[in-house]
Amino acid sequence: MRGNSSTIRTGRAVTTLAALLAGALALTACSSSDDKKGSGDTSGGATPTGSTVTLPKLNGANLEVAAVWTGTEQANFKKVLAEFEKRTGAKVTFVPAQDPIINFLGSKIAGGQPPDVALLPQPGAIKQAVDKKWAKPLGAEALKELQKNYSPGWQDIGKVDGKQYGVYYKAANKSLIWYNAKAFENAGAKEPKTWQELLTAAQAVYDSGVTPFSVGGADGWTLTDWFENVYLSQAGPQKYDQLAQHKIKWTDPSVKQALTTLAQIWGKKDYVAGGGDGALQTEFPASVTQTFTGGDQPKAAMVYEGDFAQVNIGDTKAKVGTDAKVFPFPAVGSSAPVVSGGDAAVILKDSKAAQALATFLASPDAATIQAKLGGYLSPNKNVPVSAYPNAVQQTIAKALIASGDDFRFDMSDQAPQAFGGTPGKGEWKDLQDFLKNPKDVAGTQAKLEKDAAAAYGNGS
């Protein structure tokens, strides 16, 4: 019923990105690159030297841009919007949105005050915005910029029924585990390549007196990401696509196997900082920072999440590449998983200014500004790798671009928002309950299936 197959284009070679990362991330101790070549210096006039995109003059135009980003991420994006203002003369206001953003936008639209552009974190949300007739198609200039800078797969996930609505401004590699280098060194633990090796490393860390894992369970989306990596690697890409579209049920034996595997960490006494109850009170930013503070006694040695965790590591004294290192999510089955996420700019109020902003966000110029600030990854293949501020981020960026269309998009982001993207409901809530009681595999499956069936329309 959701037609995800028409909006999600993904490759079959799920090992590509993981293999590239595994090789490239061995270089994490390399020094950062300060090379700014080709990065589009923004200190010049209205259109700086080296600019790749021409924008119209928009003096007197006012735009509102809504996104759920907070803290450093929001501050960094505002610098991109400031550059757009400088080049065009338009005034741009950032509107902080709440999850689920579709509900937030619905209330704004009902009140007659929709933002001009919204950054939507799920393909499912783009489709909902189109179905509700809120979203406007991209114009010729934005399309031209998108086609020049993005692989077909990243273009396709912004399409609904063959028409382009979204510009994927931000990407995420969600198949990474960050670790406290000192805690690993003290424990004699090695970077794992398989799930079994991950459990061995966790035991070594535990035996050294440090809790192995930090889990941001207060934010249900982190738990869906854990599940998706295990499931993709263990069940394989075909099953992953079927479950993403609810063509198989959550009561399927493959889901039982993945939950049982997750319970080897979530259900192991003292393997999760604060236990299940403590993890459920830990929001994602704190789950990262507590892994990299506390000297030789951090709250945990490892934290799973995407490349964007670097923003939160930046709030500690830990240096990425030396104190904070990273390895690809280990292979649970025959190959390591490659799960991507992202945020797409979608126009809600069509105007020359809104189309110009979408065009700018599809350009290397916009992405390069935020790339330099760290904690950000762009699927734009023409952003210079040298723009990323450290060796770790550069290798992750190179690997993402090199993978082309060989990725699987975040499963919960493909689902209807009622199931895959709403705090306190659906998959987020069901996995939070499972984190609290990891013995209840069958009960969790039953709840997941009941909620999925309701959201997808009984699996049709």
Side-chain angles (χ1 to χ4, degrees), residues 66-67 95 97-98 100-115 117-120 125 129 134 346 348:
V95 179
Q98 288 83 44
I101 193 167
I102 283 289
N103 295 6
F104 172 84
L105 294 175
S107 63
K108 285 280 188 186
I109 287 163
Q113 294 181 308
V117 175
L119 276 295
L120 301 184
W134 297 348
V346 174
L348 302 178

mmCIF file with all atom_site columns, all heavy atoms in Angstrom, residues 66-67 95 97-98 100-115 117-120 125 129 134 346 348:
data_model
loop_
_atom_site.group_PDB
_atom_site.id
_atom_site.type_symbol
_atom_site.label_atom_id
_atom_site.label_alt_id
_atom_site.label_comp_id
_atom_site.label_asym_id
_atom_site.label_entity_id
_atom_site.label_seq_id
_atom_site.pdbx_PDB_ins_code
_atom_site.Cartn_x
_atom_site.Cartn_y
_atom_site.Cartn_z
_atom_site.occupancy
_atom_site.B_iso_or_equiv
_atom_site.pdbx_formal_charge
_atom_site.auth_seq_id
_atom_site.auth_comp_id
_atom_site.auth_asym_id
_atom_site.auth_atom_id
_atom_site.pdbx_PDB_model_num
ATOM 1   N N   . ALA A 1 66  ? 11.915 24.465 8.520  1.00 0.00 ? 66  ALA A N   1
ATOM 2   C CA  . ALA A 1 66  ? 11.672 23.675 9.723  1.00 0.00 ? 66  ALA A CA  1
ATOM 3   C C   . ALA A 1 66  ? 12.485 22.382 9.694  1.00 0.00 ? 66  ALA A C   1
ATOM 4   O O   . ALA A 1 66  ? 12.607 21.729 8.661  1.00 0.00 ? 66  ALA A O   1
ATOM 5   C CB  . ALA A 1 66  ? 10.188 23.347 9.842  1.00 0.00 ? 66  ALA A CB  1
ATOM 6   N N   . ALA A 1 67  ? 13.051 22.021 10.849 1.00 0.00 ? 67  ALA A N   1
ATOM 7   C CA  . ALA A 1 67  ? 13.759 20.749 11.009 1.00 0.00 ? 67  ALA A CA  1
ATOM 8   C C   . ALA A 1 67  ? 13.755 20.391 12.487 1.00 0.00 ? 67  ALA A C   1
ATOM 9   O O   . ALA A 1 67  ? 13.575 21.253 13.350 1.00 0.00 ? 67  ALA A O   1
ATOM 10  C CB  . ALA A 1 67  ? 15.187 20.847 10.478 1.00 0.00 ? 67  ALA A CB  1
ATOM 11  N N   . VAL A 1 95  ? 12.904 27.230 12.007 1.00 0.00 ? 95  VAL A N   1
ATOM 12  C CA  . VAL A 1 95  ? 11.791 26.893 12.895 1.00 0.00 ? 95  VAL A CA  1
ATOM 13  C C   . VAL A 1 95  ? 12.071 25.525 13.526 1.00 0.00 ? 95  VAL A C   1
ATOM 14  O O   . VAL A 1 95  ? 12.089 24.509 12.829 1.00 0.00 ? 95  VAL A O   1
ATOM 15  C CB  . VAL A 1 95  ? 10.456 26.836 12.111 1.00 0.00 ? 95  VAL A CB  1
ATOM 16  C CG1 . VAL A 1 95  ? 9.306  26.453 13.030 1.00 0.00 ? 95  VAL A CG1 1
ATOM 17  C CG2 . VAL A 1 95  ? 10.190 28.152 11.411 1.00 0.00 ? 95  VAL A CG2 1
ATOM 18  N N   . ALA A 1 97  ? 11.380 22.111 14.965 1.00 0.00 ? 97  ALA A N   1
ATOM 19  C CA  . ALA A 1 97  ? 10.221 21.220 14.909 1.00 0.00 ? 97  ALA A CA  1
ATOM 20  C C   . ALA A 1 97  ? 10.377 20.103 15.929 1.00 0.00 ? 97  ALA A C   1
ATOM 21  O O   . ALA A 1 97  ? 11.468 19.861 16.437 1.00 0.00 ? 97  ALA A O   1
ATOM 22  C CB  . ALA A 1 97  ? 10.086 20.642 13.506 1.00 0.00 ? 97  ALA A CB  1
ATOM 23  N N   . GLN A 1 98  ? 9.266  19.444 16.222 1.00 0.00 ? 98  GLN A N   1
ATOM 24  C CA  . GLN A 1 98  ? 9.302  18.295 17.130 1.00 0.00 ? 98  GLN A CA  1
ATOM 25  C C   . GLN A 1 98  ? 8.992  17.015 16.347 1.00 0.00 ? 98  GLN A C   1
ATOM 26  O O   . GLN A 1 98  ? 8.353  17.059 15.307 1.00 0.00 ? 98  GLN A O   1
ATOM 27  C CB  . GLN A 1 98  ? 8.256  18.454 18.251 1.00 0.00 ? 98  GLN A CB  1
ATOM 28  C CG  . GLN A 1 98  ? 8.600  19.510 19.288 1.00 0.00 ? 98  GLN A CG  1
ATOM 29  C CD  . GLN A 1 98  ? 8.209  20.905 18.828 1.00 0.00 ? 98  GLN A CD  1
ATOM 30  O OE1 . GLN A 1 98  ? 7.125  21.113 18.288 1.00 0.00 ? 98  GLN A OE1 1
ATOM 31  N NE2 . GLN A 1 98  ? 9.102  21.865 19.022 1.00 0.00 ? 98  GLN A NE2 1
ATOM 32  N N   . PRO A 1 100 ? 6.867  13.571 16.010 1.00 0.00 ? 100 PRO A N   1
ATOM 33  C CA  . PRO A 1 100 ? 7.076  13.355 14.588 1.00 0.00 ? 100 PRO A CA  1
ATOM 34  C C   . PRO A 1 100 ? 6.800  14.624 13.802 1.00 0.00 ? 100 PRO A C   1
ATOM 35  O O   . PRO A 1 100 ? 5.797  15.305 14.035 1.00 0.00 ? 100 PRO A O   1
ATOM 36  C CB  . PRO A 1 100 ? 6.077  12.256 14.240 1.00 0.00 ? 100 PRO A CB  1
ATOM 37  C CG  . PRO A 1 100 ? 4.999  12.390 15.269 1.00 0.00 ? 100 PRO A CG  1
ATOM 38  C CD  . PRO A 1 100 ? 5.635  12.954 16.502 1.00 0.00 ? 100 PRO A CD  1
ATOM 39  N N   . ILE A 1 101 ? 7.676  14.946 12.875 1.00 0.00 ? 101 ILE A N   1
ATOM 40  C CA  . ILE A 1 101 ? 7.610  16.232 12.177 1.00 0.00 ? 101 ILE A CA  1
ATOM 41  C C   . ILE A 1 101 ? 6.339  16.370 11.340 1.00 0.00 ? 101 ILE A C   1
ATOM 42  O O   . ILE A 1 101 ? 5.827  17.465 11.166 1.00 0.00 ? 101 ILE A O   1
ATOM 43  C CB  . ILE A 1 101 ? 8.881  16.486 11.323 1.00 0.00 ? 101 ILE A CB  1
ATOM 44  C CG1 . ILE A 1 101 ? 8.938  17.962 10.875 1.00 0.00 ? 101 ILE A CG1 1
ATOM 45  C CG2 . ILE A 1 101 ? 8.967  15.516 10.158 1.00 0.00 ? 101 ILE A CG2 1
ATOM 46  C CD1 . ILE A 1 101 ? 10.262 18.406 10.302 1.00 0.00 ? 101 ILE A CD1 1
ATOM 47  N N   . ILE A 1 102 ? 5.794  15.248 10.869 1.00 0.00 ? 102 ILE A N   1
ATOM 48  C CA  . ILE A 1 102 ? 4.554  15.308 10.087 1.00 0.00 ? 102 ILE A CA  1
ATOM 49  C C   . ILE A 1 102 ? 3.411  15.879 10.941 1.00 0.00 ? 102 ILE A C   1
ATOM 50  O O   . ILE A 1 102 ? 2.620  16.705 10.477 1.00 0.00 ? 102 ILE A O   1
ATOM 51  C CB  . ILE A 1 102 ? 4.178  13.911 9.530  1.00 0.00 ? 102 ILE A CB  1
ATOM 52  C CG1 . ILE A 1 102 ? 5.067  13.577 8.312  1.00 0.00 ? 102 ILE A CG1 1
ATOM 53  C CG2 . ILE A 1 102 ? 2.714  13.812 9.163  1.00 0.00 ? 102 ILE A CG2 1
ATOM 54  C CD1 . ILE A 1 102 ? 4.772  14.398 7.052  1.00 0.00 ? 102 ILE A CD1 1
ATOM 55  N N   . ASN A 1 103 ? 3.344  15.474 12.205 1.00 0.00 ? 103 ASN A N   1
ATOM 56  C CA  . ASN A 1 103 ? 2.312  16.015 13.107 1.00 0.00 ? 103 ASN A CA  1
ATOM 57  C C   . ASN A 1 103 ? 2.541  17.500 13.349 1.00 0.00 ? 103 ASN A C   1
ATOM 58  O O   . ASN A 1 103 ? 1.606  18.300 13.370 1.00 0.00 ? 103 ASN A O   1
ATOM 59  C CB  . ASN A 1 103 ? 2.326  15.268 14.444 1.00 0.00 ? 103 ASN A CB  1
ATOM 60  C CG  . ASN A 1 103 ? 1.926  13.809 14.293 1.00 0.00 ? 103 ASN A CG  1
ATOM 61  O OD1 . ASN A 1 103 ? 1.743  13.327 13.184 1.00 0.00 ? 103 ASN A OD1 1
ATOM 62  N ND2 . ASN A 1 103 ? 1.800  13.097 15.404 1.00 0.00 ? 103 ASN A ND2 1
ATOM 63  N N   . PHE A 1 104 ? 3.820  17.865 13.547 1.00 0.00 ? 104 PHE A N   1
ATOM 64  C CA  . PHE A 1 104 ? 4.181  19.270 13.753 1.00 0.00 ? 104 PHE A CA  1
ATOM 65  C C   . PHE A 1 104 ? 3.761  20.102 12.540 1.00 0.00 ? 104 PHE A C   1
ATOM 66  O O   . PHE A 1 104 ? 3.149  21.170 12.679 1.00 0.00 ? 104 PHE A O   1
ATOM 67  C CB  . PHE A 1 104 ? 5.684  19.378 13.990 1.00 0.00 ? 104 PHE A CB  1
ATOM 68  C CG  . PHE A 1 104 ? 6.222  20.785 14.024 1.00 0.00 ? 104 PHE A CG  1
ATOM 69  C CD1 . PHE A 1 104 ? 6.177  21.537 15.184 1.00 0.00 ? 104 PHE A CD1 1
ATOM 70  C CD2 . PHE A 1 104 ? 6.767  21.363 12.879 1.00 0.00 ? 104 PHE A CD2 1
ATOM 71  C CE1 . PHE A 1 104 ? 6.664  22.842 15.209 1.00 0.00 ? 104 PHE A CE1 1
ATOM 72  C CE2 . PHE A 1 104 ? 7.259  22.661 12.900 1.00 0.00 ? 104 PHE A CE2 1
ATOM 73  C CZ  . PHE A 1 104 ? 7.206  23.396 14.064 1.00 0.00 ? 104 PHE A CZ  1
ATOM 74  N N   . LEU A 1 105 ? 4.079  19.604 11.346 1.00 0.00 ? 105 LEU A N   1
ATOM 75  C CA  . LEU A 1 105 ? 3.740  20.335 10.119 1.00 0.00 ? 105 LEU A CA  1
ATOM 76  C C   . LEU A 1 105 ? 2.225  20.403 9.933  1.00 0.00 ? 105 LEU A C   1
ATOM 77  O O   . LEU A 1 105 ? 1.692  21.427 9.480  1.00 0.00 ? 105 LEU A O   1
ATOM 78  C CB  . LEU A 1 105 ? 4.387  19.674 8.905  1.00 0.00 ? 105 LEU A CB  1
ATOM 79  C CG  . LEU A 1 105 ? 5.920  19.711 8.852  1.00 0.00 ? 105 LEU A CG  1
ATOM 80  C CD1 . LEU A 1 105 ? 6.432  18.916 7.661  1.00 0.00 ? 105 LEU A CD1 1
ATOM 81  C CD2 . LEU A 1 105 ? 6.442  21.152 8.793  1.00 0.00 ? 105 LEU A CD2 1
ATOM 82  N N   . GLY A 1 106 ? 1.543  19.315 10.307 1.00 0.00 ? 106 GLY A N   1
ATOM 83  C CA  . GLY A 1 106 ? 0.088  19.302 10.194 1.00 0.00 ? 106 GLY A CA  1
ATOM 84  C C   . GLY A 1 106 ? -0.563 20.413 10.993 1.00 0.00 ? 106 GLY A C   1
ATOM 85  O O   . GLY A 1 106 ? -1.477 21.091 10.505 1.00 0.00 ? 106 GLY A O   1
ATOM 86  N N   . SER A 1 107 ? -0.065 20.632 12.212 1.00 0.00 ? 107 SER A N   1
ATOM 87  C CA  . SER A 1 107 ? -0.632 21.698 13.045 1.00 0.00 ? 107 SER A CA  1
ATOM 88  C C   . SER A 1 107 ? -0.313 23.077 12.471 1.00 0.00 ? 107 SER A C   1
ATOM 89  O O   . SER A 1 107 ? -1.133 23.985 12.512 1.00 0.00 ? 107 SER A O   1
ATOM 90  C CB  . SER A 1 107 ? -0.133 21.588 14.486 1.00 0.00 ? 107 SER A CB  1
ATOM 91  O OG  . SER A 1 107 ? 1.269  21.751 14.537 1.00 0.00 ? 107 SER A OG  1
ATOM 92  N N   . LYS A 1 108 ? 0.889  23.225 11.888 1.00 0.00 ? 108 LYS A N   1
ATOM 93  C CA  . LYS A 1 108 ? 1.278  24.503 11.261 1.00 0.00 ? 108 LYS A CA  1
ATOM 94  C C   . LYS A 1 108 ? 0.401  24.785 10.036 1.00 0.00 ? 108 LYS A C   1
ATOM 95  O O   . LYS A 1 108 ? -0.046 25.923 9.821  1.00 0.00 ? 108 LYS A O   1
ATOM 96  C CB  . LYS A 1 108 ? 2.751  24.453 10.821 1.00 0.00 ? 108 LYS A CB  1
ATOM 97  C CG  . LYS A 1 108 ? 3.736  24.565 11.963 1.00 0.00 ? 108 LYS A CG  1
ATOM 98  C CD  . LYS A 1 108 ? 3.879  26.013 12.364 1.00 0.00 ? 108 LYS A CD  1
ATOM 99  C CE  . LYS A 1 108 ? 4.970  26.252 13.360 1.00 0.00 ? 108 LYS A CE  1
ATOM 100 N NZ  . LYS A 1 108 ? 4.988  27.641 13.816 1.00 0.00 ? 108 LYS A NZ  1
ATOM 101 N N   . ILE A 1 109 ? 0.179  23.749 9.240  1.00 0.00 ? 109 ILE A N   1
ATOM 102 C CA  . ILE A 1 109 ? -0.627 23.903 8.013  1.00 0.00 ? 109 ILE A CA  1
ATOM 103 C C   . ILE A 1 109 ? -2.083 24.185 8.381  1.00 0.00 ? 109 ILE A C   1
ATOM 104 O O   . ILE A 1 109 ? -2.730 25.036 7.775  1.00 0.00 ? 109 ILE A O   1
ATOM 105 C CB  . ILE A 1 109 ? -0.471 22.649 7.119  1.00 0.00 ? 109 ILE A CB  1
ATOM 106 C CG1 . ILE A 1 109 ? 0.932  22.657 6.483  1.00 0.00 ? 109 ILE A CG1 1
ATOM 107 C CG2 . ILE A 1 109 ? -1.543 22.581 6.034  1.00 0.00 ? 109 ILE A CG2 1
ATOM 108 C CD1 . ILE A 1 109 ? 1.400  21.350 5.906  1.00 0.00 ? 109 ILE A CD1 1
ATOM 109 N N   . ALA A 1 110 ? -2.584 23.476 9.402  1.00 0.00 ? 110 ALA A N   1
ATOM 110 C CA  . ALA A 1 110 ? -3.961 23.714 9.859  1.00 0.00 ? 110 ALA A CA  1
ATOM 111 C C   . ALA A 1 110 ? -4.141 25.154 10.333 1.00 0.00 ? 110 ALA A C   1
ATOM 112 O O   . ALA A 1 110 ? -5.210 25.750 10.167 1.00 0.00 ? 110 ALA A O   1
ATOM 113 C CB  . ALA A 1 110 ? -4.312 22.748 10.984 1.00 0.00 ? 110 ALA A CB  1
ATOM 114 N N   . GLY A 1 111 ? -3.075 25.717 10.918 1.00 0.00 ? 111 GLY A N   1
ATOM 115 C CA  . GLY A 1 111 ? -3.118 27.097 11.383 1.00 0.00 ? 111 GLY A CA  1
ATOM 116 C C   . GLY A 1 111 ? -2.803 28.111 10.293 1.00 0.00 ? 111 GLY A C   1
ATOM 117 O O   . GLY A 1 111 ? -2.721 29.312 10.556 1.00 0.00 ? 111 GLY A O   1
ATOM 118 N N   . GLY A 1 112 ? -2.629 27.624 9.064  1.00 0.00 ? 112 GLY A N   1
ATOM 119 C CA  . GLY A 1 112 ? -2.363 28.513 7.926  1.00 0.00 ? 112 GLY A CA  1
ATOM 120 C C   . GLY A 1 112 ? -0.954 29.074 7.905  1.00 0.00 ? 112 GLY A C   1
ATOM 121 O O   . GLY A 1 112 ? -0.698 30.079 7.240  1.00 0.00 ? 112 GLY A O   1
ATOM 122 N N   . GLN A 1 113 ? -0.021 28.441 8.642  1.00 0.00 ? 113 GLN A N   1
ATOM 123 C CA  . GLN A 1 113 ? 1.354  28.961 8.688  1.00 0.00 ? 113 GLN A CA  1
ATOM 124 C C   . GLN A 1 113 ? 2.400  27.869 8.425  1.00 0.00 ? 113 GLN A C   1
ATOM 125 O O   . GLN A 1 113 ? 3.259  27.620 9.261  1.00 0.00 ? 113 GLN A O   1
ATOM 126 C CB  . GLN A 1 113 ? 1.623  29.589 10.053 1.00 0.00 ? 113 GLN A CB  1
ATOM 127 C CG  . GLN A 1 113 ? 0.792  30.828 10.318 1.00 0.00 ? 113 GLN A CG  1
ATOM 128 C CD  . GLN A 1 113 ? 1.130  31.427 11.680 1.00 0.00 ? 113 GLN A CD  1
ATOM 129 O OE1 . GLN A 1 113 ? 1.129  30.744 12.691 1.00 0.00 ? 113 GLN A OE1 1
ATOM 130 N NE2 . GLN A 1 113 ? 1.432  32.715 11.688 1.00 0.00 ? 113 GLN A NE2 1
ATOM 131 N N   . PRO A 1 114 ? 2.316  27.211 7.277  1.00 0.00 ? 114 PRO A N   1
ATOM 132 C CA  . PRO A 1 114 ? 3.339  26.196 7.009  1.00 0.00 ? 114 PRO A CA  1
ATOM 133 C C   . PRO A 1 114 ? 4.697  26.839 6.761  1.00 0.00 ? 114 PRO A C   1
ATOM 134 O O   . PRO A 1 114 ? 4.766  27.952 6.222  1.00 0.00 ? 114 PRO A O   1
ATOM 135 C CB  . PRO A 1 114 ? 2.838  25.523 5.731  1.00 0.00 ? 114 PRO A CB  1
ATOM 136 C CG  . PRO A 1 114 ? 2.021  26.576 5.053  1.00 0.00 ? 114 PRO A CG  1
ATOM 137 C CD  . PRO A 1 114 ? 1.394  27.387 6.147  1.00 0.00 ? 114 PRO A CD  1
ATOM 138 N N   . PRO A 1 115 ? 5.787  26.189 7.157  1.00 0.00 ? 115 PRO A N   1
ATOM 139 C CA  . PRO A 1 115 ? 7.099  26.682 6.756  1.00 0.00 ? 115 PRO A CA  1
ATOM 140 C C   . PRO A 1 115 ? 7.257  26.526 5.246  1.00 0.00 ? 115 PRO A C   1
ATOM 141 O O   . PRO A 1 115 ? 6.538  25.726 4.626  1.00 0.00 ? 115 PRO A O   1
ATOM 142 C CB  . PRO A 1 115 ? 8.070  25.772 7.511  1.00 0.00 ? 115 PRO A CB  1
ATOM 143 C CG  . PRO A 1 115 ? 7.298  24.534 7.792  1.00 0.00 ? 115 PRO A CG  1
ATOM 144 C CD  . PRO A 1 115 ? 5.868  24.944 7.926  1.00 0.00 ? 115 PRO A CD  1
ATOM 145 N N   . VAL A 1 117 ? 9.995  25.470 3.654  1.00 0.00 ? 117 VAL A N   1
ATOM 146 C CA  . VAL A 1 117 ? 10.767 24.242 3.399  1.00 0.00 ? 117 VAL A CA  1
ATOM 147 C C   . VAL A 1 117 ? 10.876 23.470 4.705  1.00 0.00 ? 117 VAL A C   1
ATOM 148 O O   . VAL A 1 117 ? 11.040 24.064 5.774  1.00 0.00 ? 117 VAL A O   1
ATOM 149 C CB  . VAL A 1 117 ? 12.188 24.586 2.860  1.00 0.00 ? 117 VAL A CB  1
ATOM 150 C CG1 . VAL A 1 117 ? 13.043 23.329 2.699  1.00 0.00 ? 117 VAL A CG1 1
ATOM 151 C CG2 . VAL A 1 117 ? 12.098 25.343 1.531  1.00 0.00 ? 117 VAL A CG2 1
ATOM 152 N N   . ALA A 1 118 ? 10.778 22.151 4.623  1.00 0.00 ? 118 ALA A N   1
ATOM 153 C CA  . ALA A 1 118 ? 10.968 21.306 5.810  1.00 0.00 ? 118 ALA A CA  1
ATOM 154 C C   . ALA A 1 118 ? 11.988 20.221 5.493  1.00 0.00 ? 118 ALA A C   1
ATOM 155 O O   . ALA A 1 118 ? 12.035 19.714 4.365  1.00 0.00 ? 118 ALA A O   1
ATOM 156 C CB  . ALA A 1 118 ? 9.654  20.675 6.240  1.00 0.00 ? 118 ALA A CB  1
ATOM 157 N N   . LEU A 1 119 ? 12.811 19.884 6.484  1.00 0.00 ? 119 LEU A N   1
ATOM 158 C CA  . LEU A 1 119 ? 13.763 18.778 6.361  1.00 0.00 ? 119 LEU A CA  1
ATOM 159 C C   . LEU A 1 119 ? 13.104 17.550 6.968  1.00 0.00 ? 119 LEU A C   1
ATOM 160 O O   . LEU A 1 119 ? 12.878 17.498 8.178  1.00 0.00 ? 119 LEU A O   1
ATOM 161 C CB  . LEU A 1 119 ? 15.072 19.102 7.090  1.00 0.00 ? 119 LEU A CB  1
ATOM 162 C CG  . LEU A 1 119 ? 16.136 19.927 6.342  1.00 0.00 ? 119 LEU A CG  1
ATOM 163 C CD1 . LEU A 1 119 ? 16.684 19.187 5.137  1.00 0.00 ? 119 LEU A CD1 1
ATOM 164 C CD2 . LEU A 1 119 ? 15.655 21.307 5.960  1.00 0.00 ? 119 LEU A CD2 1
ATOM 165 N N   . LEU A 1 120 ? 12.772 16.585 6.120  1.00 0.00 ? 120 LEU A N   1
ATOM 166 C CA  . LEU A 1 120 ? 12.040 15.405 6.566  1.00 0.00 ? 120 LEU A CA  1
ATOM 167 C C   . LEU A 1 120 ? 12.988 14.222 6.733  1.00 0.00 ? 120 LEU A C   1
ATOM 168 O O   . LEU A 1 120 ? 13.721 13.878 5.803  1.00 0.00 ? 120 LEU A O   1
ATOM 169 C CB  . LEU A 1 120 ? 10.929 15.050 5.572  1.00 0.00 ? 120 LEU A CB  1
ATOM 170 C CG  . LEU A 1 120 ? 9.877  16.148 5.329  1.00 0.00 ? 120 LEU A CG  1
ATOM 171 C CD1 . LEU A 1 120 ? 8.789  15.647 4.398  1.00 0.00 ? 120 LEU A CD1 1
ATOM 172 C CD2 . LEU A 1 120 ? 9.251  16.619 6.633  1.00 0.00 ? 120 LEU A CD2 1
ATOM 173 N N   . ALA A 1 125 ? 7.770  9.907  5.534  1.00 0.00 ? 125 ALA A N   1
ATOM 174 C CA  . ALA A 1 125 ? 7.219  11.247 5.794  1.00 0.00 ? 125 ALA A CA  1
ATOM 175 C C   . ALA A 1 125 ? 7.080  12.038 4.488  1.00 0.00 ? 125 ALA A C   1
ATOM 176 O O   . ALA A 1 125 ? 6.124  12.801 4.319  1.00 0.00 ? 125 ALA A O   1
ATOM 177 C CB  . ALA A 1 125 ? 8.111  11.998 6.771  1.00 0.00 ? 125 ALA A CB  1
ATOM 178 N N   . ALA A 1 129 ? 3.620  13.572 3.095  1.00 0.00 ? 129 ALA A N   1
ATOM 179 C CA  . ALA A 1 129 ? 3.480  14.988 2.718  1.00 0.00 ? 129 ALA A CA  1
ATOM 180 C C   . ALA A 1 129 ? 2.936  15.128 1.296  1.00 0.00 ? 129 ALA A C   1
ATOM 181 O O   . ALA A 1 129 ? 2.160  16.045 1.005  1.00 0.00 ? 129 ALA A O   1
ATOM 182 C CB  . ALA A 1 129 ? 4.827  15.697 2.854  1.00 0.00 ? 129 ALA A CB  1
ATOM 183 N N   . TRP A 1 134 ? 0.707  18.413 0.583  1.00 0.00 ? 134 TRP A N   1
ATOM 184 C CA  . TRP A 1 134 ? 1.491  19.495 1.186  1.00 0.00 ? 134 TRP A CA  1
ATOM 185 C C   . TRP A 1 134 ? 2.751  19.782 0.366  1.00 0.00 ? 134 TRP A C   1
ATOM 186 O O   . TRP A 1 134 ? 3.153  20.929 0.232  1.00 0.00 ? 134 TRP A O   1
ATOM 187 C CB  . TRP A 1 134 ? 1.938  19.125 2.599  1.00 0.00 ? 134 TRP A CB  1
ATOM 188 C CG  . TRP A 1 134 ? 0.854  18.900 3.597  1.00 0.00 ? 134 TRP A CG  1
ATOM 189 C CD1 . TRP A 1 134 ? -0.470 19.213 3.457  1.00 0.00 ? 134 TRP A CD1 1
ATOM 190 C CD2 . TRP A 1 134 ? 1.003  18.300 4.890  1.00 0.00 ? 134 TRP A CD2 1
ATOM 191 N NE1 . TRP A 1 134 ? -1.157 18.839 4.600  1.00 0.00 ? 134 TRP A NE1 1
ATOM 192 C CE2 . TRP A 1 134 ? -0.280 18.290 5.499  1.00 0.00 ? 134 TRP A CE2 1
ATOM 193 C CE3 . TRP A 1 134 ? 2.085  17.795 5.609  1.00 0.00 ? 134 TRP A CE3 1
ATOM 194 C CZ2 . TRP A 1 134 ? -0.498 17.777 6.772  1.00 0.00 ? 134 TRP A CZ2 1
ATOM 195 C CZ3 . TRP A 1 134 ? 1.873  17.290 6.885  1.00 0.00 ? 134 TRP A CZ3 1
ATOM 196 C CH2 . TRP A 1 134 ? 0.595  17.275 7.457  1.00 0.00 ? 134 TRP A CH2 1
ATOM 197 N N   . VAL A 1 346 ? 12.219 19.399 1.587  1.00 0.00 ? 346 VAL A N   1
ATOM 198 C CA  . VAL A 1 346 ? 10.981 19.314 0.798  1.00 0.00 ? 346 VAL A CA  1
ATOM 199 C C   . VAL A 1 346 ? 10.289 20.675 0.840  1.00 0.00 ? 346 VAL A C   1
ATOM 200 O O   . VAL A 1 346 ? 10.171 21.288 1.906  1.00 0.00 ? 346 VAL A O   1
ATOM 201 C CB  . VAL A 1 346 ? 10.049 18.220 1.367  1.00 0.00 ? 346 VAL A CB  1
ATOM 202 C CG1 . VAL A 1 346 ? 8.699  18.228 0.659  1.00 0.00 ? 346 VAL A CG1 1
ATOM 203 C CG2 . VAL A 1 346 ? 10.703 16.852 1.245  1.00 0.00 ? 346 VAL A CG2 1
ATOM 204 N N   . LEU A 1 348 ? 7.217  23.129 0.851  1.00 0.00 ? 348 LEU A N   1
ATOM 205 C CA  . LEU A 1 348 ? 5.799  23.115 1.229  1.00 0.00 ? 348 LEU A CA  1
ATOM 206 C C   . LEU A 1 348 ? 5.052  24.343 0.697  1.00 0.00 ? 348 LEU A C   1
ATOM 207 O O   . LEU A 1 348 ? 3.845  24.298 0.494  1.00 0.00 ? 348 LEU A O   1
ATOM 208 C CB  . LEU A 1 348 ? 5.654  23.050 2.758  1.00 0.00 ? 348 LEU A CB  1
ATOM 209 C CG  . LEU A 1 348 ? 6.316  21.852 3.452  1.00 0.00 ? 348 LEU A CG  1
ATOM 210 C CD1 . LEU A 1 348 ? 6.136  21.936 4.954  1.00 0.00 ? 348 LEU A CD1 1
ATOM 211 C CD2 . LEU A 1 348 ? 5.773  20.531 2.931  1.00 0.00 ? 348 LEU A CD2 1
#
